[in-house]
Amino acid sequence: MYYYRGFGLIIASQIMLPELLPYTLTSTPDVHISIGKTPEKLTAAGTVHKVGYAINPNEYLLQFLNVANYYAANGNNIIVEPLAGSDEKSVRLFLLTGVMAAILHQRNAVALNAAAIKHLDGVVLFCGYAGSGKSAMLTKFIQNGYKPFCDDVCLIQHNDVKAMAAYPTIKNWENTFTGMGLPIPSTDNKIRPNLPKYATYFHDEFDTDALPVKTIFIIHKDHIAKSVEIKKLAGIEAFAEVHNNVYHRLQIYPMKKEAIHFQAISKLVANINVYQVTRSSNTGFDELFQTIQKHL
Amino acid sequence: MESDKKIVWLASYPKSGNTWFRAFITALLNNGEVDINNLATDGIFSSRRLFNEQTDLESNLLYDEEAKQMQGNVFNHICAKAKQRHLFVKIHDAYTYNSDNLPVIPTQNTLCAIYIIRNPLDIAGSLANHKDDTLDDSIDFMNNKQSVFGKQEDEVNTSLQFRQPLLDWSGHVNSWTAKLPFPVMVIRYEDMLADAFETFKQALLFMGIKTDKQQLETAIAASSFEQLKQKETDYGFKERIRNTSFFRSGKAGNWKNELTSQQVSAITSQHQNTMAKYGYI
């Protein structure tokens, strides 16, 4: 059995998860990950069946082609059934994304799809849809001397305006490294064998404490934008933009977690600055970095 | 059940009049109102957003072949949940098969397809403008049997759309006009220009949509090329991929002012049979 800290939880896993922070067990694990046979389908009342997955307030079943089947239940139990011919990296990748998102939602956590840096006594978050440049901005800030806080997932505390990092791994496309003049990591760091996206790790710098959220930048890519535009958001507009970036947001509706997210995000946006940053497809990382840095 | 078949594929090679047709459908559904940045049709087959919503997967983490195995089920599922009678889905993909030798495009819930065809000699200039490429590059693209729309360098997956295999221009046309498991109506862009009323009327009849003369005329007027171009000037157009105008000239036969004889020959020599079949040579 392997033990880790990740997603603000103590995780006991039969699967090695190098993306997470190793942990010497001193308390009861919050989540157990085992290898085994998953249910063929979910039958509980209220189950919503979609394409390749099913979900209800307490259970989540993902059946992903020839990679693996995953079952997450009650916020503390995951069964992984790797399928014949699948590779470990792919099995881990989908475990640590949608399946862990389901566990977090089952536990009433509020998680944002965000990268973040440390700044002053707190953290600054970068949100935006896939491909908007969140991880690239995190990497650009690191290149300019800032410390990483997290990539991909950031947990928002319910009772104060603080965030907790999920795990010490940053995932970037190959062209991000080349675009920033950084060496492309080893093939061993690919997050899937045939995907040009690489993991880099910051285990030694990983902060497991919750830190105050200072600012959130929502990055949009817009083909018709002529330059980088930045706009401060307030009220319902800020709420909507942040809410759109809830991690695997569509899980919260069949799980009936809307109220929890409404309260937590309302409190968050009322106490911090939220900016919308719109960039064109041609905007360079330097220009985007400089615009955001001015508004930290 | 026949009533489960709702999907109407609005299929075309890029820059062949697909947006015009969708604007017409929008005008018809919205009593003559057209917001080009919010067309009332039901998305594009290659949309990652629609895929992510139905699968709970982050599609940028998938291999393209995996996506091609699932895209059909995504639209079957959307169709099964849809309340409306028709789902109008834009598609630029050629009609191809995945690694399981199954059609990438779902057939189970497909009602029919409208295939809009345009003279490839006119597409060349329009495509060059759209992609901000040279005419020669566009012609090479149209002649390449491996051409893909939306492909990113180094197989990076940050685009909002999946890769769309196009084949070459003839291959695209022939893939959609072969014997498919659902009815396909071919509409020539040039006929939409020459006789919009009759052409759109026949398309509506084919799709089983009832309308009257007044509604049809209103929709045609509201979706005219001039109206769409003006709206792009006033409000921008989110489907534009470069800082060049999406709606350019819209005319038929403009190739005579744009292409050299060598460029014309490069197109006609490769696509002669298909062009002849549809009256382009």
Side-chain angles (χ1 to χ4, degrees):
Chain A
M1 189 69 78
Y2 303 96
Y3 298 99
Y4 300 101
R5 287 201 69 151
F7 300 92
L9 304 168
I10 308 301
I11 297 171
S13 176
Q14 288 184 339
I15 298 174
M16 189 189 289
L17 299 169
E19 295 84 357
L20 307 189
L21 191 69
Y23 178 73
T24 303
L25 193 63
T26 55
S27 58
T28 308
D30 300 302
V31 177
H32 286 85
I33 300 172
S34 57
I35 297 171
K37 181 81 179 160
T38 58
E40 287 188 10
K41 61 181 180 179
L42 301 187
T43 55
T47 299
V48 173
H49 297 273
K50 305 278 267 189
V51 179
Y53 83 101
I55 187 167
N56 63 45
N58 299 311
E59 297 172 291
Y60 175 86
L61 177 65
L62 173 68
Q63 296 163 312
F64 179 44
L65 296 177
N66 299 320
V67 173
N69 299 329
Y70 305 87
Y71 175 70
N74 305 314
N76 60 15
N77 180 32
I78 295 174
I79 302 171
V80 181
E81 181 182 4
L83 300 177
S86 63
D87 64 273
E88 289 179 15
K89 287 183 175 183
S90 297
V91 171
R92 290 205 310 267
L93 181 62
F94 295 97
L95 167 63
L96 293 179
T97 49
V99 182
M100 273 310 300
I103 286 288
L104 293 171
H105 290 139
Q106 288 167 358
R107 299 178 69 91
N108 293 330
V110 174
L112 295 181
N113 183 197
I117 54 161
K118 291 188 187 179
H119 180 57
L120 302 175
D121 63 336
V123 294
V124 172
L125 274 56
F126 308 124
C127 293
Y129 54 75
S132 61
K134 301 182 294 292
S135 302
M137 255 318 89
L138 168 60
T139 304
K140 191 71 193 171
F141 272 84
I142 294 169
Q143 197 179 26
N144 282 274
Y146 290 81
K147 298 290 184 191
F149 185 63
C150 69
D151 187 28
D152 204 26
V153 191
C154 203
L155 295 125
I156 304 300
Q157 306 283 88
H158 286 240
N159 299 321
D160 50 28
V161 186
K162 287 185 176 177
M164 186 175 278
Y167 55 94
T169 302
I170 303 170
K171 293 176 279 189
N172 272 308
W173 293 99
E174 187 169 303
N175 60 359
T176 299
F177 295 100
T178 52
M180 291 187 192
L182 296 169
I184 296 170
S186 152
T187 302
D188 292 343
N189 288 43
K190 280 190 171 182
I191 64 170
R192 294 190 78 185
N194 298 317
L195 205 66
K197 194 168 191 177
Y198 298 83
T200 50
Y201 304 104
F202 58 100
H203 287 60
D204 292 343
E205 296 179 280
F206 188 62
D207 198 330
T208 56
D209 293 333
L211 297 178
V213 179
K214 299 293 185 184
T215 308
I216 297 180
F217 293 91
I218 314 280
I219 305 172
H220 288 263
K221 199 157 68 173
D222 186 339
H223 293 309
I224 54 182
K226 292 197 170 105
S227 61
V228 180
E229 295 166 7
I230 189 159
K231 179 173 91 166
K232 191 171 183 180
L233 304 179
I236 189 71
E237 210 175 10
F239 173 88
E241 283 280 2
V242 174
H243 192 271
N244 275 342
N245 286 280
V246 166
Y247 195 51
H248 285 256
R249 180 175 58 87
L250 295 183
Q251 291 184 0
I252 72 174
Y253 303 105
M255 286 193 188
K256 305 193 185 308
K257 306 295 184 187
E258 295 101 313
I260 291 164
H261 286 77
F262 180 82
Q263 288 165 10
I265 295 171
S266 297
K267 183 163 186 173
L268 178 68
V269 300
N271 288 282
I272 62 165
N273 291 322
V274 179
Y275 290 96
Q276 182 186 70
V277 189
T278 305
R279 69 180 183 105
S280 77
S281 305
N282 298 324
T283 303
F285 294 125
D286 286 333
E287 187 183 358
L288 188 60
F289 164 73
Q290 284 159 13
T291 304
I292 290 175
Q293 193 188 33
K294 282 180 197 163
H295 292 81
L296 287 181
Chain B
M1 282 167 52
E2 196 64 27
S3 60
D4 292 336
K5 295 183 182 294
K6 296 180 177 179
I7 299 176
V8 177
W9 299 107
L10 305 180
S12 71
Y13 195 86
K15 306 309 293 177
S16 297
N18 202 308
T19 304
W20 181 12
F21 197 92
R22 288 183 298 129
F24 164 73
I25 294 289
T26 299
L28 195 72
L29 297 174
N30 286 350
N31 299 317
E33 292 294 321
V34 179
D35 175 354
I36 61 170
N37 288 308
N38 190 22
L39 294 175
T41 47
D42 301 288
I44 184 165
F45 182 65
S46 53
S47 166
R48 287 188 184 275
R49 179 183 62 80
L50 292 175
F51 184 96
N52 294 352
E53 287 174 0
Q54 298 301 323
T55 63
D56 199 38
L57 294 167
E58 297 167 38
S59 65
N60 66 328
L61 302 178
L62 269 60
Y63 301 141
D64 195 53
E65 186 48 47
E66 292 172 338
K68 293 283 179 280
Q69 287 181 55
M70 297 180 71
Q71 276 179 284
N73 276 339
V74 165
F75 277 84
N76 280 332
H77 194 83
I78 290 171
C79 188
K81 299 290 179 188
K83 302 251 188 310
Q84 63 266 47
R85 176 71 190 87
H86 294 92
L87 276 177
F88 299 101
V89 185
K90 173 185 176 180
I91 182 165
H92 284 319
D93 302 53
Y95 192 93
T96 59
Y97 297 82
N98 64 24
S99 56
D100 297 329
N101 206 28
L102 295 170
V104 172
I105 295 147
T107 57
Q108 178 188 331
N109 292 317
T110 291
L111 178 67
C112 62
I114 298 285
Y115 186 78
I116 305 165
I117 186 172
R118 186 183 186 189
N119 188 341
L121 296 169
D122 280 332
I123 291 176
S126 188
L127 190 63
N129 177 68
H130 183 66
K131 288 161 63 79
D132 204 14
D133 267 348
T134 65
L135 279 165
D136 285 332
D137 285 342
S138 279
I139 292 166
D140 286 347
F141 185 82
M142 293 169 65
N143 285 353
N144 183 350
K145 294 181 193 310
Q146 310 296 324
S147 279
V148 173
F149 215 44
K151 183 176 180 178
Q152 295 188 278
E153 285 180 21
D154 307 322
E155 304 301 315
V156 168
N157 277 344
T158 57
S159 167
L160 295 177
Q161 292 185 29
F162 290 112
R163 295 168 184 79
Q164 300 147 71
L166 296 181
L167 315 177
D168 67 347
W169 179 81
S170 298
H172 194 278
V173 175
N174 295 332
S175 78
W176 276 98
T177 55
K179 187 168 175 52
L180 300 187
F182 47 81
V184 180
M185 181 184 197
V186 179
I187 293 180
R188 287 179 8 126
Y189 178 83
E190 294 74 16
D191 294 337
M192 288 162 64
L193 280 172
D195 189 352
F197 185 89
E198 188 58 28
T199 309
F200 283 119
K201 183 178 145 191
Q202 292 303 323
L204 292 177
L205 282 172
F206 177 75
M207 293 185 283
I209 298 171
K210 290 179 181 167
T211 187
D212 60 33
K213 185 170 183 262
Q214 179 64 45
Q215 286 174 310
L216 188 52
E217 286 176 343
T218 301
I220 289 169
S223 57
S224 70
F225 183 84
E226 292 73 23
Q227 289 276 348
L228 300 181
K229 189 170 178 64
Q230 188 60 49
K231 284 178 192 284
E232 182 184 15
T233 303
D234 293 345
Y235 308 114
F237 186 34
K238 67 182 182 185
E239 293 185 27
R240 190 167 79 190
I241 62 170
R242 300 281 185 275
N243 275 322
T244 53
S245 176
F246 184 92
F247 299 103
R248 201 174 59 120
S249 80
K251 294 175 183 165
N254 202 39
W255 62 271
K256 292 170 190 159
N257 305 315
E258 296 181 320
L259 304 185
T260 65
S261 57
Q262 289 92 338
Q263 288 168 332
V264 170
S265 177
I267 294 171
T268 54
S269 60
Q270 176 149 343
H271 305 294
Q272 190 166 19
N273 291 343
T274 308
M275 289 180 73
K277 183 176 177 184
Y278 292 97
Y280 293 129
I281 48 176

